[in-house]
Amino acid sequence: APSTMPFHIKLRQIAGRARMAGNYLLGRQLLEPGVTIYTDDTWYVSYPRSGNTYWRFLTANLISKGVPVDWTNIERYAPDIHVTYDATLRHLPRPRFIKSHEPFKPAYRRAVLIVRDPRDVAISCFHMAKRRYIIPEEQTIDEFMPDWIAGKIFPYGNWGEYQGCWLGARRGTPDFWVFRYEDMVAGSATI
């Protein structure tokens, strides 16, 4: 059956995919391969839309020595491996505090897992998927949810698998911490 998706929406989806492919070809990482990992790195890991950016800004403001942190310089203090070139990452002062959405990686020795209520994550993912043209603009949240629950929207699996792989491999081990986004925002997070 022919697609009923308007041409301009198809074009935006193609442009979004081309942008992702271009980032990969330019040396930016879509996923972890190619990132130089040091033993003193601290990795902020989370399923997309779970509060990783919030955590990065908190950290960046602590280590920036009074320099105001915003979107123009966040990558200097708490970079995102999905955005920053590996060559740039290698030249950052150590220890580094790095964002990743990668599922469990044994090489990520020190890791902070940020967990957010999956109902809020799903809604945020729905809106992001529309903004980035991953799903059609006219798709409803009811149509989106089965694919999101099945882990078909992003390359990181589904929310439960993502949390499970980190918790199953690292819970109770040294250099691994879990923070709930809701506790961070409320100011009640504890180590």
Side-chain angles (χ1 to χ4, degrees):
S3 173
T4 59
M5 185 184 305
F7 180 72
H8 72 283
I9 300 294
K10 285 183 190 176
L11 242 140
R12 285 193 287 193
Q13 287 181 323
I14 291 168
R17 289 184 185 116
R19 188 172 48 255
M20 289 171 62
N23 281 340
Y24 181 78
L25 292 172
L26 289 171
R28 293 179 175 139
Q29 292 74 39
L30 178 60
L31 297 175
E32 184 262 313
V35 175
T36 304
I37 298 171
Y38 300 114
T39 57
D40 61 347
D41 289 337
T42 298
W43 294 88
Y44 297 155
V45 296
S46 69
Y47 193 82
R49 314 307 298 168
S50 294
N52 206 319
T53 300
Y54 186 88
W55 189 264
R56 289 171 64 212
F57 271 94
L58 289 173
T59 301
N61 278 290
L62 288 171
I63 65 174
S64 69
K65 298 180 182 167
V67 174
V69 178
D70 59 25
W71 289 109
T72 64
N73 62 1
I74 185 70
E75 295 301 318
R76 212 174 309 153
Y77 301 107
D80 176 345
I81 68 162
H82 309 290
V83 174
T84 303
Y85 295 96
D86 185 54
T88 301
L89 290 172
R90 288 192 310 267
H91 291 95
L92 292 175
R94 291 175 52 194
R96 304 177 305 175
F97 301 89
I98 305 172
K99 170 188 174 177
S100 173
H101 289 309
E102 290 289 303
F104 173 69
K105 299 283 182 208
Y108 293 3
R109 191 173 90 54
R110 297 171 50 99
V112 176
L113 174 64
I114 302 157
V115 180
R116 184 179 183 191
D117 185 318
R119 297 168 296 185
D120 294 329
V121 173
I123 292 167
S124 189
C125 283
F126 170 70
H127 292 294
M128 182 184 78
K130 280 192 171 194
R131 276 193 317 276
R132 294 191 178 171
Y133 311 110
I134 295 168
I135 61 172
E137 197 170 280
E138 66 276 1
Q139 188 173 65
T140 68
I141 196 158
D142 290 336
E143 294 166 334
F144 170 83
M145 286 307 294
D147 284 342
W148 184 79
I149 290 169
K152 295 179 181 176
I153 303 296
F154 303 112
Y156 313 107
N158 72 35
W159 184 90
E161 291 168 343
Y162 186 92
Q163 309 309 326
C165 73
W166 276 103
L167 293 170
R170 295 293 305 271
R171 182 182 286 170
T173 63
D175 294 329
F176 179 69
W177 303 270
V178 178
F179 286 92
R180 285 180 9 109
Y181 172 78
E182 292 79 8
D183 292 342
M184 289 190 300
V185 176
S188 60
T190 59
I191 295 179

